[in-house]
Amino acid sequence: MDRRTFLRGATALGALGVSAPLLGCSGGEDKAPPALSVEDLPELKGDLTVYLGRGEGGLYTKVVEAIRDRNPDLNLELRRGPSSSLANTLVAEDERGGARADLFWAVDTSSLGQVIDHGLASPIPDELRDRLKGPFRFERMAPISGRVRTLAYNTERLEPDDLPDRITALPESGLEVGWAPAYGAFQSFVTAMRLLEGDEATLEWLEAMKPNTQEYSGELGAVMAVSQGEVDVSLANHYYTLRLKEGKPDAKVDVAFTRKDAGSLVNTSGVAVLRPGETAHNFIRYLLSREVQGYLAREAYEIPLVPDVPTPEGLPAMDEIQAPRVDLTRLGDLQPTLDLMRRAGVL
């Protein structure tokens, strides 16, 4: 699907299959209104600078370019790079006289947390926050799409009941585990464990895990290792397994979830508003539209965060996953995490 097709409005909705509701992440409180179509949104005009964290195979870039194509009076400047590097750039720019971006769309909340902690993010308007499902409403960032931590397991060797339902029980399971300690998503997971379990318990877990792990440069590689029988289980975001199974339906891998701990953390990509204004806020409305949310669910296998858009095929409804409650903006506190990982000898 080209980048223009998914923003053509009502004519594209049938092809996208945007009809089934997304069940809540953890309960049905704070119901959001139905997701808007791009046909219902105002035209974007004027100047807008977006710093965009690289990732998801360039799909975020395609979304931004599709929005630009649909709005010919929008003068959009796009700067791309790793989310963590762009966060550092924004902080440095602010120290030299002011951040140059209007919006920062990052692939992980740890980078957004860094920007928020430095006081660079403006409040998200209530009307925009209320369009998100209840668990994803934050004062100074607008989550765009979700991803959940999983145990990707080899289906030829294991059944779901063979896996622990607590991440802290994994070292005693006797399973060979793949992980990617240098990967940002893994470090956010360890940060969540710190927040939930405490630093010392997290350090003990890392040290206990180390003898039975194989290290990979990225989480896709770790999931592929599961399917090839190199390890029994890998720690990874859900979409790596779903993408692998899309290309190889017979791949011997599936996902399981721990319960109410960091092993089932639901993290998000998201946007921070650095220079508030009508154009910046309306750009976020496009990102929360049925078309964009449906595109990211179908093409990136990410979790939609607004009503009326189905979850990716192969993923349970969010209220079945029992994710922990974590303030995602606190995942930007990475330095203590990196220190713990170095003490444990996994970095």
Side-chain angles (χ1 to χ4, degrees):
M1 182 182 301
D2 67 51
R3 67 175 187 253
R4 294 177 179 83
T5 300
F6 72 88
L7 285 184
R8 284 177 183 158
T11 59
L13 296 183
L16 286 170
V18 180
S19 57
L22 168 67
L23 297 179
C25 173
S26 50
E29 76 278 15
D30 298 326
K31 290 184 179 179
L36 294 173
S37 167
V38 293
E39 298 293 340
D40 303 320
L41 298 178
E43 183 180 353
L44 299 177
K45 299 180 180 180
D47 298 329
L48 189 71
T49 299
V50 177
Y51 281 19
L52 175 63
R54 277 203 305 262
E56 315 313 326
L59 293 175
Y60 290 180
T61 299
K62 291 181 180 179
V63 168
V64 173
E65 290 174 346
I67 294 172
R68 178 163 52 192
D69 290 346
R70 183 178 176 86
N71 294 274
D73 292 330
L74 175 65
N75 179 27
L76 192 151
E77 181 179 345
L78 185 63
R79 177 170 180 175
R80 289 164 283 197
S83 290
S84 58
S85 296
L86 291 177
N88 290 333
T89 297
L90 287 167
V91 171
E93 288 176 353
D94 181 67
E95 292 172 349
R96 295 194 300 265
R100 299 175 184 173
D102 299 293
L103 296 173
F104 176 34
W105 184 7
V107 300
D108 63 88
T109 51
S110 60
S111 297
L112 291 169
Q114 180 182 350
V115 168
I116 292 168
D117 287 346
H118 278 81
L120 303 183
S122 297
I124 302 297
D126 288 344
E127 189 273 335
L128 274 175
R129 294 173 62 198
D130 290 347
R131 295 210 160 271
L132 290 152
K133 288 189 169 289
F136 301 104
R137 295 173 185 169
F138 296 91
E139 183 181 357
R140 294 184 184 273
M141 79 165 183
I144 302 301
S145 56
R147 62 288 310 272
V148 59
R149 299 299 295 175
T150 68
L151 302 176
Y153 68 95
N154 185 288
T155 55
E156 197 169 54
R157 297 180 182 177
L158 300 169
E159 298 290 337
D161 289 345
D162 297 326
L163 299 166
D165 61 8
R166 295 288 297 175
I167 198 68
T168 51
L170 192 55
E172 290 78 41
S173 67
L175 298 172
E176 189 76 9
V177 180
W179 65 6
Y183 210 58
F186 182 87
Q187 294 172 7
S188 291
F189 148 73
V190 176
T191 303
M193 182 180 284
R194 285 182 42 241
L195 296 174
L196 292 165
E197 311 288 347
D199 284 11
E200 288 306 312
T202 302
L203 176 62
E204 291 175 5
W205 181 84
L206 289 167
E207 292 174 335
M209 285 289 295
K210 187 179 176 183
N212 297 317
T213 55
Q214 294 288 333
E215 184 174 331
Y216 297 89
S217 60
E219 292 190 344
L220 177 58
V223 170
M224 291 178 65
V226 171
S227 71
Q228 294 164 1
E230 294 179 17
V231 292
D232 301 309
V233 176
S234 282
L235 306 178
N237 283 345
H238 76 275
Y239 44 60
Y240 293 111
T241 298
L242 299 190
R243 292 172 190 174
L244 179 61
K245 289 173 70 69
E246 171 68 18
K248 297 181 177 180
D250 59 346
K252 299 177 178 64
V253 62
D254 207 343
V255 294
F257 307 89
T258 59
R259 298 180 182 178
K260 297 183 180 180
D261 63 14
S264 57
L265 172 72
V266 176
N267 202 343
T268 73
S269 73
V271 174
V273 179
L274 308 175
R275 289 200 291 249
E278 183 177 4
T279 300
H281 294 154
N282 283 336
F283 187 89
I284 297 175
R285 290 183 175 90
Y286 272 82
L287 298 182
L288 297 179
S289 68
R290 285 201 304 264
E291 291 83 356
V292 170
Q293 293 279 301
Y295 177 78
L296 291 176
R298 290 170 60 88
E299 301 298 324
Y301 296 91
E302 295 185 343
I303 301 167
L305 303 183
V306 298
D308 307 321
V309 183
T311 55
E313 186 177 353
L315 191 67
M318 286 295 96
D319 60 353
E320 298 177 19
I321 289 178
Q322 300 187 46
R325 288 300 185 99
V326 176
D327 182 351
L328 298 181
T329 63
R330 295 183 65 191
L331 299 184
D333 188 19
L334 273 179
Q335 193 56 53
T337 297
L338 300 177
D339 292 342
L340 276 187
M341 294 176 69
R342 292 187 183 106
R343 286 175 60 191
V346 302
L347 264 187

